[in-house]
Amino acid sequence: MPRVQLINAAETTANRQVLLAQIQQAFGATPNMFKAVANSPAALTSMWGSFAALGAGVLGAKLGEQIAVAIANQNRCEYCLAAHTVLGKNAGVSADELQAAQAGQSNDAKTAAALAFALKVVKNRAQLSNNDISELRAAGFDDEHIVEILAHIALNIFTNYVNVAFEVPVDFPLVALNPVD
């Protein structure tokens, strides 16, 4: 049972209805996470706007979903792991690539560098060295990409924490979490 109310779009304020209608249209359903976040129209506006902005960013949907899967596994967020596995497949990420991303790995060196960086940011609470940024640059990322990777990390930490803290019921096919170090 969730720790916060899941907002029903038919029974809420007009400003929430507008956002929940956009989410419903995008997904064909309104995922429980958004219903939980709708308790705060400001938080819902922020989250939905961030998804839209980053979806149009330079990293592309495939890498964004791989980052999301890696962070969800690290943060033990079953909801986000399940959701981003579905979204990753929709973005063209193979099942093998998603499984590897869940472990923070990729056969593609550039993707592997981004995933390693993302997990280091999460594990070390953004306490990074100059070398960490240099490694991303050596892998082919410029400052725009690097800042956008950090934005993906921040958004995914927010969504992970919402789902874990509020025990939001998973409404996507479950994916098993991998052990983390």
Side-chain angles (χ1 to χ4, degrees), residues 6-7 30-37 79 163 168-172:
L6 299 182
I7 300 297
T30 305
N32 285 337
M33 178 186 70
F34 292 104
K35 293 177 185 177
V37 175
Y79 191 101
N163 291 300
V168 176
V170 180
D171 48 358
F172 291 88

Side-chain angles (χ1 to χ4, degrees), residues 115-128 149-150 153-154 157:
L115 295 175
F117 177 80
L119 290 177
K120 187 165 196 175
V121 168
V122 173
K123 290 176 188 176
N124 296 341
R125 298 177 187 222
Q127 300 299 310
L128 302 171
I149 290 169
L150 194 62
I153 295 165
I157 289 171

Side-chain angles (χ1 to χ4, degrees), residues 148-169:
E148 195 168 302
I149 290 169
L150 194 62
H152 275 274
I153 295 165
L155 176 58
N156 282 285
I157 289 171
F158 175 40
T159 62
N160 290 180
Y161 285 11
V162 162
N163 291 300
V164 172
F166 299 144
E167 295 184 348
V168 176

